[in-house]
Structure formats: structure tokens, C-alpha cells
Amino acid sequence: MLPRPKNTFTLKQDPRDTMVKSAKSPKISDRRVGLKCLPGEHVHEESLRVRKRLHFKDGYHDVFGTLYCTSHRIAFRPDCFNSTQDSSEEVIFDSDNDIALPCADRILAVANQSKVKVVTPSLSLKFVPEELLVYCRGFRLMHFHFSDNGLKTEAFSMTNTMAKNQQVISSVVKQEAMLRSLDKRESTTVMDYPTNMFESVMDWENEIERLGATSWRVTPLNERCDTCTSLSKYFVVPCKLLDNDLKNTFAHFQQRRIPRWSWHHPGGSDLLRSAGFQTNTDPEKEDVRSIRSLLFGNHSQCVIIDTSEDLPSVADIQASFLKLRALCCSDTSTPVPNEKWLSSLEGTRWLDHVRSYLKKASEVSMLLSERNRCIVLQEPEDRDVNCLLTSLVQVLSDPHSRTLSGFQSLVQKEWVSAGHPFLQRINHFRQYDKEESPVFLLFLDCVCQCLQQFPTTFEFTESYLLALYDSTYNLFCGTFTHNCPWDRIRGSQRHSSSQTYTPVNGWRDIVREKILLNGDYKSVDEVKSPPPTVWEWSLFYRHSRRQQFLNPMYHIRKQAVLNGNGLMHNADKLDVSDPCNVYLLSKGVLVLQSPFFPRKSVTVSKRGGRRSQSVESLLEEEKQFRSNMSPDHPTADLLLPLCVGPWVRLWKRCYLRCATEVQGDSQRPPVASIAEELKILEERLKNLHGNSQEQRLNGSVLSDINGVSSSSYR
């Protein structure tokens, strides 16, 4: 028989008095096996025999377990698991059953299906709730139903403890303690899929060798993060450019984020990303020569794509996301009528933003594949739109990026190492409301659209993308809790915007200078062990869930051999008489950029420019291009997704998880379940075939014995 919890009370007692008494004992029953507390974490409340309700289209299913409210999270531990391997595993944060307190959007208390109230620390409940609905910020819903054997009063204490702890965790001290709760680990976990972290020179050199970009090298100019705090310690520049000349180029770009190499096309083109030019600097001839070397690399043509003009901005993405969340997570009291739901979805413009980025990524991919050139994606700060577009271009063009190891390495290279401000854009602790924007979610949505149109070209599944999005709200791993590598090294977020510019001294980092003067700087080896990364899936997901990450329909294709010079086919032959020119692709127009270094007062002339091709014409050219090339051609793996009409669909498994009628459908993807059933049927057929052969063998042996016995009798 299961033991009763320490906090018990009868119906005659006032639940509020009981809540006050239980709050005075912040640490109760840490000895229970069901939940392993993290360093500095304490269990404040627990309830046995709580039912977690999973809703399906034809009903619901209850899972019995224990509900915990700790100083860091809301956790549920089921009494039984799907397999013995799941029960033997011990995860530190079960992403399917745990919620970090800052990531709980709202908590609803329900009684008799008629009393519904949003729980807040300032308002006290006047009824004993029977159910708790915990809405997460990532479109997740946790539905808990308390037992009918006198334990419903525990829901009152549990609800108030959740609200109180959620208010306490908002303090800065509690946030730092929560983020550092896993800094000291007893042992490291082996990654399920090898991932290039892009934290050392060897990581970048391996990427250069994989792609065959022999004309590029790794520079350690930012090894101490003193040249640019928002960039990684190492990045790739042309081999012909020396570090002494490279130092003078930082001051001519916003936030000192110079053009950097991202990817090398097997046909010879290169993809770069850069921040916008500084308009208040006057570069000398040597600096202009160095900047030209950065933009051109070893090519004779450079195309600069201004991503801030053609694509939705960070503010547009956030405004659309708020409308989408209000539509998909609307209260039952104010539901959207069914006949207006599709029009309301169109009014959010979220699918329009997905379509815009898919179109632009297809256009850039075609520019990379049609001839040998350098493509530079330029954004004012180079930390949001460029992260999305460079990643999406590589997903469409590089088959390695469509594998599990390659995709995780891509996120590390173009998002984590490149300095995407995850802490501000995700806004875990609600301190950056004006800077919040789900840029990374939009990228995962675009990848999911490609996965739906090309299901056999991706090694991972939709379930993997969903788990990766949910992991952005996992505060117990260090991948999505910092703004840049400098913040990740120092373990603090106060260095993200400390750079100032003065006419005499140039760029200075006040915070960094104070740290260096005080002797507080530590190398990477001296810094304490970092928290686990999101790629250590066994710490956050059980075996049965991790099995759903692999796509059984994935078709491994033999890739072409890459080389440093590229394959020069008919479309790549350059005109020798054509000088080194810089073209600007903005708003569908390709224009010769003159002067080379733009000024704020200069307006781009559209005279002499050619209109950029539409996606439909690109698709027609792509079909003809594929029909005339061999299967072993390096650009044969280029994906060009359809972006019109019904081809761009709503990501239902992600955005409609708050709807109770489809919540349970996200537990197992259809493809994985069908593949598992086929595997079981195949094993049964083998067993049946083996039994039939054994019966035939036994029958032949018996016939031989009967023949021998009859002959001997005669």
C-alpha cells in the first residue's frame, strides 16, 4: 500500500491554513525514489495517485503517478513506464513530464467543470480544485486530475505552492541558481548522435575539410572574446587575408561582426554572413582592400543580399506569433468560431512568414548552384534573420545537414556559436518582453515544411523537431540559456551589450576591461564544467521517446566527392573580361553596387538591373537542370520546396497541442508507428516461415522412418 503524504488534512480544516503550514517546511520527502532532485533543488509539495490525462479524438487515457512541485519545476513521475528500459533509465529532467516554473504560462484550477480560475500569487482560491491545467509557453498542456478518495484537498495546497514558487523564481538570485544547478556533474553523458560543437580550432578545421574549402582558414583573432563579444572565439576567413589586416576591418561593421564563412557549395560557391556596414566610419584604402578580400574570398563575383528588406523582421515575427498563440491557446470561455478559424489563422500571417523564408532560401540556393560566386547575407546585427536563412539554405543544399548529426552541428554553428540571443528571444524569465521573438521556432517550422514535402531525404522525424522546440524551454541545459559564447563562458548575461564606441579609442568593452584589470579572467579549462547540452538526449528523454527521432523512411544517398576548387560545368564558366564586381540583391532586383563601400545617403539605382526570377520560374529551371545532369552531380541533392497554396501547412502537432481533442495524437508519429507494426509483422512471418519449414522437415523424417520400417518388415 502506498504511503500517505506528510501534509494531510480533513475537509473541516481550512485549506489556506494548511498551505501556510506546508510552506514552512520547504523540503519534504526528498528521499522518494520517484524524483531525483538537482543540486540546490527542494521538493515543496507532492501528491500521490494523481492522474495525468491524455486526450485523444475518441476519448482520454489517465496515467497514474506522483505530482511534485519543487523550487525549480513542476514534475510528474508515472507509476509505470512503457518498457523496462524506460523504467531503468534515470533522467534529470523529463521533458515530457516536467515544466520549468518560469516557463509555465498560466495555471487554471477547475472544480465541477463549472468553476475555472486562473491561479495567481495575489489571488487566493475560494474552492478546492479537482483538476489543474498547466499551460506551457511552448504550446504544451499538462492536465492533472486528482483522485476522488479524499485527496482533492491536496490540489489546493499544490496549486498555491506552484503560484508561490513561480513568483519566487522570478528573482535574479533564483534565476542564476537555477541556471547553474547542473554546473557540477558527477559524470558526462555520451551524445546519441555525434555533434560538432564549433568551440575549438579543430572543430572548424574538420568542417572545412568536410566541405573541401581549401581556400579558407580558421583565425584565432577572437580567442579571448576581446575583439567582438558576440562572436565565437574562432571563425573562418580567406587564407590570403592576414590577421593584422583583419583587425582593421572590425570597426567598419555594426557590432564588429565582420563577414565570415558559413558553407562551401560542392560547385565552388561560398556562403558568407555579415552585419551591416558602419555609416559613420571612413575606411582607408588598406581597409577597403581587406574588406574586399573578405567579401570576395577567391571568387570574381560577390552578391550581397540585404535580408532586412525582403524578409519579415524580428518584430513582425513576434507580432504574428502572439496572434498565433492567442488563436491556438484560446480559453474555452472565448473560443474562436469554427467558421472563422481558418480566416483567423490567415490573419496571423504566420504561414506567410514561413512562405517568405522558404522562397528566399530557395532563391539563395539557386544562386549558389548556378555559378562560382560568393553570396553574402547581410543583416544589420547579423544575429537573427541571418541565422535562420543560412541554416535553411544549408538544409536545402547539403544532405549532411539533413542527418541528425549534421543538423545538430548546423544549429551549433549558425545559432549557438554565431551568437543568436536565445535568452532575449525566448525570454525565459520574462525580462526581455520588448526583445522576445521566436525566430528559432520559425526555422524549425520551415524545416518541418521541407520534411513534409521530402520525407525520405531527412534522417530525423517531426517528433525530433518537436522535442528540439520543447528543449528551448528547458532551463537545465546550457544550449538555449545564453545570448552568445562570451555569456556562456562567463556564466552570466551581463556582457551581451557592453561595447561602446568613442572617436579616440574606438570600440571598447567596459565590462570586459574591468574583468581583465581585476585579474578575474579565466581560460576555458579553468572555468567550471558547463551544464549539459541539449544534444545529450538521454538526460531529458527516455528510450522509447528517443526511438521516435529516427526516420524509418530515410534513404541514404551516396554523396559526391567535394574538392576545393569546385566543379566547373557550363553554368560556372566565368567571363575573364568581367572585373570583380559586387552586386546587391534587394527586393527582387540585382544591381551593380557602386561605390563599393556604401554610405547612408546613397540610394540604390534600379537602372540596368535585372529582375530576380520568381520561385515558379526557378522550379521550372530546376526541373530542366535536373533532367540534364547525372545522379552523381553535386547539386542533385538540392531541395526546392513548394511555397504556394496548400503546400505550406500549419504545424498541427506543435501549435494545436493545447487542444484536448488532438493532444494525444502527438505522442507517436504515424510513420514510426507503422514502421514498428511492419517490423513486428515481419518477425511473425519469419517465425511462421521457420515453423512451417520445421514441420516439413519433421514430416519428411517421419516418412523416411516409415519407409525403412516397412521395408524391414517385409
Side-chain angles (χ1 to χ4, degrees):
M1 184 175 180
L2 292 174
R4 300 284 292 179
K6 294 183 178 181
N7 290 345
T8 59
F9 36 83
T10 61
L11 293 175
K12 294 181 181 180
Q13 293 176 328
D14 187 0
R16 287 172 290 185
D17 297 339
T18 309
M19 182 270 298
V20 174
K21 293 180 181 179
S22 63
K24 294 181 180 180
S25 57
K27 189 174 182 179
I28 63 173
S29 56
D30 286 357
R31 300 184 301 272
R32 292 197 178 276
V33 183
L35 180 66
K36 181 180 179 181
C37 292
L38 304 172
E41 182 184 18
H42 306 289
V43 177
H44 288 188
E45 195 70 37
E46 64 176 333
S47 297
L48 301 176
R49 302 296 294 172
V50 176
R51 290 177 289 175
K52 179 184 177 182
R53 182 155 294 180
L54 300 177
H55 296 267
F56 298 89
K57 293 182 178 180
D58 55 350
Y60 61 86
H61 174 68
D62 290 337
V63 179
F64 285 88
T66 305
L67 181 62
Y68 299 89
C69 181
T70 72
S71 55
H72 293 354
R73 53 178 164 168
I74 300 171
F76 178 79
R77 290 296 176 268
D79 294 337
C80 59
F81 296 93
N82 296 330
S83 63
T84 56
Q85 191 168 1
D86 287 348
S87 59
S88 61
E89 289 183 334
E90 187 175 6
V91 296
I92 60 175
F93 183 86
D94 192 350
S95 297
D96 289 331
N97 296 309
D98 295 358
I99 307 171
L101 284 173
C103 299
D105 190 17
R106 52 185 172 148
I107 302 174
L108 268 64
V110 183
N112 297 327
Q113 298 182 356
S114 59
K115 298 180 180 179
V116 180
K117 187 175 182 180
V118 179
V119 180
T120 58
S122 58
L123 298 177
S124 59
L125 288 175
K126 297 182 180 179
F127 59 90
V128 178
E130 299 176 359
E131 304 175 29
L132 287 181
L133 299 177
V134 182
Y135 287 87
C136 310
R137 299 181 59 193
F139 295 95
R140 291 176 57 200
L141 171 63
M142 304 283 280
H143 187 184
F144 300 108
H145 193 281
F146 289 82
S147 302
D148 299 331
N149 53 356
L151 297 180
K152 286 190 293 185
T153 50
E154 291 187 0
F156 192 97
S157 179
M158 178 66 69
T159 304
N160 286 278
T161 304
M162 290 179 182
K164 179 182 177 181
N165 291 356
Q166 193 177 16
Q167 184 183 26
V168 173
I169 204 68
S170 60
S171 64
V172 179
V173 178
K174 290 291 184 179
Q175 294 173 15
E176 294 182 356
M178 185 175 182
L179 292 175
R180 298 178 182 178
S181 59
L182 292 176
D183 284 348
K184 296 182 179 180
R185 290 185 289 166
E186 298 178 357
S187 61
T188 58
T189 306
V190 180
M191 295 183 183
D192 295 346
Y193 315 103
T195 303
N196 193 344
M197 304 302 291
F198 292 95
E199 295 177 349
S200 63
V201 177
M202 185 61 65
D203 295 342
W204 286 99
E205 288 180 349
N206 291 336
E207 181 71 3
I208 293 176
E209 182 180 359
R210 182 186 72 85
L211 295 171
T214 57
S215 59
W216 300 83
R217 67 175 181 89
V218 183
T219 174
L221 196 60
N222 197 40
E223 191 171 13
R224 293 172 62 91
C225 296
D226 54 352
T227 306
C228 178
T229 57
S230 63
L231 280 179
S232 60
K233 296 187 298 180
Y234 310 99
F235 47 87
V236 180
V237 295
C239 292
K240 61 183 180 181
L241 186 62
L242 301 178
D243 286 346
N244 292 331
D245 299 331
L246 186 63
K247 290 180 180 179
N248 301 326
T249 62
F250 284 87
H252 304 297
F253 292 89
Q254 297 185 26
Q255 295 193 3
R256 301 175 64 84
R257 298 176 65 90
I258 61 174
R260 308 171 314 283
W261 176 87
S262 289
W263 183 69
H264 178 75
H265 192 275
S269 298
D270 290 287
L271 179 65
L272 281 71
R273 54 183 298 178
S274 169
F277 294 106
Q278 283 284 355
T279 58
N280 56 352
T281 61
D282 189 12
E284 299 179 356
K285 292 183 179 180
E286 292 77 7
D287 297 345
V288 173
R289 189 180 300 110
S290 300
I291 295 174
R292 180 181 289 272
S293 299
L294 276 175
L295 295 177
F296 280 88
N298 65 330
H299 300 280
S300 300
Q301 187 182 93
C302 174
V303 178
I304 298 178
I305 301 178
D306 189 357
T307 59
S308 62
E309 295 184 2
D310 298 341
L311 296 171
S313 63
V314 174
D316 296 335
I317 296 173
Q318 174 63 7
S320 177
F321 175 75
L322 292 178
K323 296 178 181 179
L324 179 67
R325 187 170 62 181
L327 176 65
C328 298
C329 302
S330 59
D331 296 333
T332 56
S333 58
T334 58
V336 179
N338 294 332
E339 60 273 10
K340 296 183 179 180
W341 201 91
L342 293 178
S343 60
S344 300
L345 175 62
E346 184 181 358
T348 63
R349 301 205 62 186
W350 181 261
L351 296 181
D352 292 338
H353 296 341
V354 174
R355 189 177 294 107
S356 299
Y357 277 96
L358 288 175
K359 286 182 178 180
K360 180 59 68 172
S362 301
E363 184 178 354
V364 174
S365 300
M366 290 298 294
L367 287 174
L368 283 168
S369 61
E370 73 177 10
R371 65 179 300 175
N372 198 321
R373 55 160 64 102
C374 221
I375 305 294
V376 182
L377 303 181
Q378 193 172 52
E379 183 190 4
E381 296 183 358
D382 182 40
R383 302 184 69 178
D384 294 293
V385 177
N386 274 3
C387 295
L388 197 160
L389 197 56
T390 53
S391 304
L392 195 56
V393 168
Q394 295 178 54
V395 169
L396 298 180
S397 304
D398 190 1
H400 178 71
S401 299
R402 300 193 285 269
T403 64
L404 279 164
S405 298
F407 187 79
Q408 294 180 171
S409 302
L410 177 66
V411 174
Q412 280 290 140
K413 179 177 66 172
E414 301 297 347
W415 294 84
V416 180
S417 180
H420 177 68
F422 281 106
L423 190 65
Q424 298 177 0
R425 295 295 179 252
I426 300 176
N427 194 15
H428 302 92
F429 298 99
R430 305 172 189 269
Q431 295 179 343
Y432 307 97
D433 294 338
K434 295 182 180 180
E435 301 175 0
E436 181 181 356
S437 181
V439 183
F440 188 68
L441 170 62
L442 184 60
F443 164 67
L444 295 180
D445 198 335
C446 293
V447 176
C448 186
Q449 302 292 335
C450 299
L451 177 61
Q452 298 295 334
Q453 297 188 27
F454 308 97
T456 61
T457 59
F458 290 85
E459 187 183 11
F460 49 85
T461 61
E462 185 182 359
S463 180
Y464 170 82
L465 296 176
L466 198 61
L468 183 56
Y469 172 57
D470 292 340
S471 299
T472 58
Y473 294 99
N474 182 0
L475 299 180
F476 301 99
C477 63
T479 305
F480 303 120
T481 55
H482 298 86
N483 287 327
C484 61
W486 170 249
D487 289 345
R488 194 167 288 103
I489 294 174
R490 297 301 308 162
S492 176
Q493 293 75 40
R494 55 192 175 92
H495 313 289
S496 58
S497 58
S498 59
Q499 291 181 339
T500 58
Y501 181 82
T502 57
V504 178
N505 298 323
W507 283 95
R508 297 179 59 193
D509 194 316
I510 305 301
V511 176
R512 186 190 61 80
E513 290 179 0
K514 291 182 179 179
I515 294 175
L516 295 178
L517 290 176
N518 296 332
D520 190 34
Y521 182 83
K522 299 180 181 180
S523 62
V524 179
D525 298 333
E526 298 174 351
V527 177
K528 56 188 177 181
S529 59
T533 64
V534 70
W535 316 124
E536 301 175 43
W537 294 107
S538 59
L539 296 177
F540 310 110
Y541 286 95
R542 301 191 181 274
H543 177 73
S544 60
R545 182 66 187 277
R546 299 199 305 271
Q547 280 186 324
Q548 302 176 17
F549 293 170
L550 290 173
N551 184 8
M553 301 173 58
Y554 175 62
H555 175 66
I556 301 177
R557 187 182 183 277
K558 184 178 179 181
Q559 300 182 17
V561 179
L562 306 181
N563 56 62
N565 299 325
L567 300 176
M568 298 296 294
H569 48 82
N570 295 331
D572 292 333
K573 293 181 179 180
L574 296 175
D575 187 3
V576 181
S577 61
D578 187 18
C580 296
N581 292 325
V582 176
Y583 293 90
L584 180 65
L585 181 65
S586 177
K587 294 184 178 181
V589 178
L590 189 63
V591 186
L592 180 64
Q593 179 69 24
S594 180
F596 164 71
F597 199 84
R599 294 294 186 270
K600 191 173 183 180
S601 59
V602 175
T603 58
V604 178
S605 175
K606 297 184 180 180
R607 184 175 56 184
R610 64 177 179 88
R611 179 72 56 178
S612 178
Q613 293 174 297
S614 62
V615 176
E616 289 75 11
S617 60
L618 289 175
L619 289 175
E620 293 297 330
E621 287 189 2
E622 192 266 343
K623 292 179 181 178
Q624 298 178 2
F625 183 64
R626 285 177 181 268
S627 61
N628 295 328
M629 66 183 179
S630 62
D632 295 331
H633 196 275
T635 57
D637 290 307
L638 177 63
L639 304 181
L640 291 178
L642 297 175
C643 308
V644 293
W647 292 102
V648 178
R649 305 173 183 176
L650 180 69
W651 191 5
K652 297 180 181 179
R653 290 188 60 201
C654 180
Y655 305 134
L656 298 182
R657 286 184 290 176
C658 288
T660 56
E661 63 271 10
V662 295
Q663 181 189 5
D665 294 343
S666 62
Q667 298 299 317
R668 178 175 291 272
V671 176
S673 60
I674 293 175
E676 185 175 353
E677 292 180 3
L678 290 176
K679 189 175 181 180
I680 295 174
L681 291 175
E682 185 179 4
E683 292 178 356
R684 291 181 179 179
L685 287 174
K686 288 182 180 180
N687 296 333
L688 183 61
H689 184 65
N691 294 334
S692 61
Q693 287 184 348
E694 184 178 357
Q695 291 177 1
R696 292 174 184 174
L697 180 61
N698 294 335
S700 61
V701 171
L702 289 176
S703 62
D704 294 341
I705 293 175
N706 293 332
V708 172
S709 59
S710 61
S711 61
S712 60
Y713 176 76
R714 291 173 184 174

